[in-house]
Amino acid sequence: MHVPDGFINAPTSAVTGVVAAGAIAVSLRGARRELDERTAPLAGLVAAFIFAVQMLNFPVAAGTSGHLLGGALAAILVGPFTGVLCVSVVLLMQGILFADGGLTALGVNITDMAIVTTVVAYAVFRGLAKVLPRTRRSVTVASFVAALVSVPAAALAFTLLYWIGGTTDIAIGKVATAMVGVHVLIGIGEAAITALTVGAVIAVRPDLVYGARGLQQRLKLRVNGELVDAPDAEPAPAPAARSHRKLWITGLVTSLVLAGFVSFYASANPDGLEKVAADKGIDEKTEEHANADSPLADYGVEDIANARVSGGLAGVIGVGVTVVAGSAVFWTVRRRRSDDASPTNTDTTV
């Protein structure tokens, strides 16, 4: 789904750049309410994990592969505003360092892969959370459905952008049919990865999952024939910091292993957008990436001949850079929240 330069014309790319910048500004403000001392470190890790899993293309059908988009996973784990920022950080790292996704198309990619997937997925997730039993299993089920829906939604969003500003004259109906068809299949893989990851985190630290907050229903007591809320129970002790660090280290090691080793066995088939672009002629005016000469272009390290070592090292570097960049962003946002809530900032003007 990474759109290269040349697919979408300059005016449309510029408009999506403005939309992306506005959404990021809103998300930076909204993330202040979502990030606390527990979730700020997790957000940087989520960005690194998404980067790693996006390197693992899985086969879907007819010589086509797919990979995680990550909007649903990020929104459910750390919140929708922080989720937009997580995916945006990943896309920025991929575009600048790895020449993956055009630089002039960065606004298109953020709009499509970060904003659309996150907003659609979280809306579906919250809708299901209101009607399903408030249990951990329901959160996992809702995560699966939300992720599944988010991928074809992103495909439709790309189709709309292509209809508005595509650089080749292709019947939009054919583009829509091809894009949605293949991305429904990719969505199944996205849903499985999202549900498994959310379920794994809930199993060990449910307090860290944004979408699982408030799972416990208030106990009802019958008093004089009427149901009333039971008194609040004693608050459970806060999880030990050691448990928090253990989860973070486990997640980072997992991301490094996926990007540095497992990625070598990923499918080499073109992903959904690449396949549709080649089949329908959308790629006729594709432009060379501005960073095509980057030492990490195409997820390999320059001057290292061994493909396994080159790709693995590039993946490890990518995870490291993404977790550092993401953590810096989220800790800065977290500090702004603390500064805003400090007593020195509570004065009012008479």
PDB file of all heavy atoms in Angstrom, residues 13-27:
ATOM      1  N   SER A  13      -1.394  15.418  -4.301  1.00  0.00           N
ATOM      2  CA  SER A  13      -0.379  15.086  -3.294  1.00  0.00           C
ATOM      3  C   SER A  13      -0.204  16.228  -2.306  1.00  0.00           C
ATOM      4  O   SER A  13      -0.050  16.004  -1.098  1.00  0.00           O
ATOM      5  CB  SER A  13       0.954  14.770  -3.977  1.00  0.00           C
ATOM      6  OG  SER A  13       0.856  13.622  -4.791  1.00  0.00           O
ATOM      7  N   ALA A  14      -0.242  17.467  -2.823  1.00  0.00           N
ATOM      8  CA  ALA A  14      -0.096  18.631  -1.947  1.00  0.00           C
ATOM      9  C   ALA A  14      -1.267  18.733  -0.974  1.00  0.00           C
ATOM     10  O   ALA A  14      -1.078  19.021   0.219  1.00  0.00           O
ATOM     11  CB  ALA A  14       0.021  19.900  -2.780  1.00  0.00           C
ATOM     12  N   VAL A  15      -2.475  18.499  -1.470  1.00  0.00           N
ATOM     13  CA  VAL A  15      -3.659  18.575  -0.608  1.00  0.00           C
ATOM     14  C   VAL A  15      -3.604  17.499   0.481  1.00  0.00           C
ATOM     15  O   VAL A  15      -3.885  17.769   1.656  1.00  0.00           O
ATOM     16  CB  VAL A  15      -4.950  18.440  -1.440  1.00  0.00           C
ATOM     17  CG1 VAL A  15      -6.159  18.274  -0.523  1.00  0.00           C
ATOM     18  CG2 VAL A  15      -5.132  19.655  -2.338  1.00  0.00           C
ATOM     19  N   THR A  16      -3.238  16.280   0.088  1.00  0.00           N
ATOM     20  CA  THR A  16      -3.135  15.224   1.097  1.00  0.00           C
ATOM     21  C   THR A  16      -2.011  15.521   2.087  1.00  0.00           C
ATOM     22  O   THR A  16      -2.099  15.137   3.259  1.00  0.00           O
ATOM     23  CB  THR A  16      -2.890  13.854   0.445  1.00  0.00           C
ATOM     24  OG1 THR A  16      -1.698  13.908  -0.360  1.00  0.00           O
ATOM     25  CG2 THR A  16      -4.072  13.430  -0.405  1.00  0.00           C
ATOM     26  N   GLY A  17      -0.974  16.239   1.628  1.00  0.00           N
ATOM     27  CA  GLY A  17       0.075  16.646   2.555  1.00  0.00           C
ATOM     28  C   GLY A  17      -0.465  17.595   3.614  1.00  0.00           C
ATOM     29  O   GLY A  17      -0.123  17.480   4.797  1.00  0.00           O
ATOM     30  N   VAL A  18      -1.332  18.523   3.200  1.00  0.00           N
ATOM     31  CA  VAL A  18      -1.949  19.444   4.152  1.00  0.00           C
ATOM     32  C   VAL A  18      -2.866  18.679   5.108  1.00  0.00           C
ATOM     33  O   VAL A  18      -2.877  18.927   6.321  1.00  0.00           O
ATOM     34  CB  VAL A  18      -2.734  20.539   3.402  1.00  0.00           C
ATOM     35  CG1 VAL A  18      -3.533  21.394   4.383  1.00  0.00           C
ATOM     36  CG2 VAL A  18      -1.783  21.406   2.588  1.00  0.00           C
ATOM     37  N   VAL A  19      -3.643  17.732   4.558  1.00  0.00           N
ATOM     38  CA  VAL A  19      -4.527  16.906   5.402  1.00  0.00           C
ATOM     39  C   VAL A  19      -3.709  16.119   6.416  1.00  0.00           C
ATOM     40  O   VAL A  19      -4.045  16.059   7.607  1.00  0.00           O
ATOM     41  CB  VAL A  19      -5.360  15.943   4.524  1.00  0.00           C
ATOM     42  CG1 VAL A  19      -6.105  14.937   5.396  1.00  0.00           C
ATOM     43  CG2 VAL A  19      -6.336  16.727   3.655  1.00  0.00           C
ATOM     44  N   ALA A  20      -2.611  15.521   5.947  1.00  0.00           N
ATOM     45  CA  ALA A  20      -1.761  14.733   6.836  1.00  0.00           C
ATOM     46  C   ALA A  20      -1.158  15.602   7.929  1.00  0.00           C
ATOM     47  O   ALA A  20      -1.128  15.210   9.113  1.00  0.00           O
ATOM     48  CB  ALA A  20      -0.667  14.034   6.030  1.00  0.00           C
ATOM     49  N   ALA A  21      -0.670  16.785   7.553  1.00  0.00           N
ATOM     50  CA  ALA A  21      -0.078  17.684   8.544  1.00  0.00           C
ATOM     51  C   ALA A  21      -1.113  18.103   9.586  1.00  0.00           C
ATOM     52  O   ALA A  21      -0.827  18.145  10.791  1.00  0.00           O
ATOM     53  CB  ALA A  21       0.503  18.909   7.848  1.00  0.00           C
ATOM     54  N   GLY A  22      -2.327  18.398   9.135  1.00  0.00           N
ATOM     55  CA  GLY A  22      -3.380  18.767  10.067  1.00  0.00           C
ATOM     56  C   GLY A  22      -3.745  17.632  11.007  1.00  0.00           C
ATOM     57  O   GLY A  22      -3.939  17.839  12.214  1.00  0.00           O
ATOM     58  N   ALA A  23      -3.825  16.421  10.449  1.00  0.00           N
ATOM     59  CA  ALA A  23      -4.165  15.256  11.277  1.00  0.00           C
ATOM     60  C   ALA A  23      -3.073  14.977  12.302  1.00  0.00           C
ATOM     61  O   ALA A  23      -3.361  14.603  13.454  1.00  0.00           O
ATOM     62  CB  ALA A  23      -4.380  14.034  10.387  1.00  0.00           C
ATOM     63  N   ILE A  24      -1.825  15.151  11.905  1.00  0.00           N
ATOM     64  CA  ILE A  24      -0.732  14.936  12.843  1.00  0.00           C
ATOM     65  C   ILE A  24      -0.771  15.983  13.962  1.00  0.00           C
ATOM     66  O   ILE A  24      -0.559  15.667  15.143  1.00  0.00           O
ATOM     67  CB  ILE A  24       0.620  14.965  12.108  1.00  0.00           C
ATOM     68  CG1 ILE A  24       0.763  13.710  11.243  1.00  0.00           C
ATOM     69  CG2 ILE A  24       1.785  15.063  13.097  1.00  0.00           C
ATOM     70  CD1 ILE A  24       1.985  13.696  10.357  1.00  0.00           C
ATOM     71  N   ALA A  25      -1.065  17.233  13.603  1.00  0.00           N
ATOM     72  CA  ALA A  25      -1.169  18.283  14.621  1.00  0.00           C
ATOM     73  C   ALA A  25      -2.287  17.968  15.616  1.00  0.00           C
ATOM     74  O   ALA A  25      -2.109  18.098  16.839  1.00  0.00           O
ATOM     75  CB  ALA A  25      -1.416  19.634  13.951  1.00  0.00           C
ATOM     76  N   VAL A  26      -3.447  17.542  15.103  1.00  0.00           N
ATOM     77  CA  VAL A  26      -4.558  17.167  15.978  1.00  0.00           C
ATOM     78  C   VAL A  26      -4.185  15.960  16.836  1.00  0.00           C
ATOM     79  O   VAL A  26      -4.489  15.899  18.036  1.00  0.00           O
ATOM     80  CB  VAL A  26      -5.823  16.867  15.136  1.00  0.00           C
ATOM     81  CG1 VAL A  26      -6.915  16.258  16.009  1.00  0.00           C
ATOM     82  CG2 VAL A  26      -6.320  18.135  14.458  1.00  0.00           C
ATOM     83  N   SER A  27      -3.478  15.003  16.227  1.00  0.00           N
ATOM     84  CA  SER A  27      -3.096  13.788  16.956  1.00  0.00           C
ATOM     85  C   SER A  27      -2.083  14.082  18.046  1.00  0.00           C
ATOM     86  O   SER A  27      -2.116  13.471  19.122  1.00  0.00           O
ATOM     87  CB  SER A  27      -2.539  12.752  15.975  1.00  0.00           C
ATOM     88  OG  SER A  27      -3.526  12.343  15.053  1.00  0.00           O
TER      89      SER A  27
END
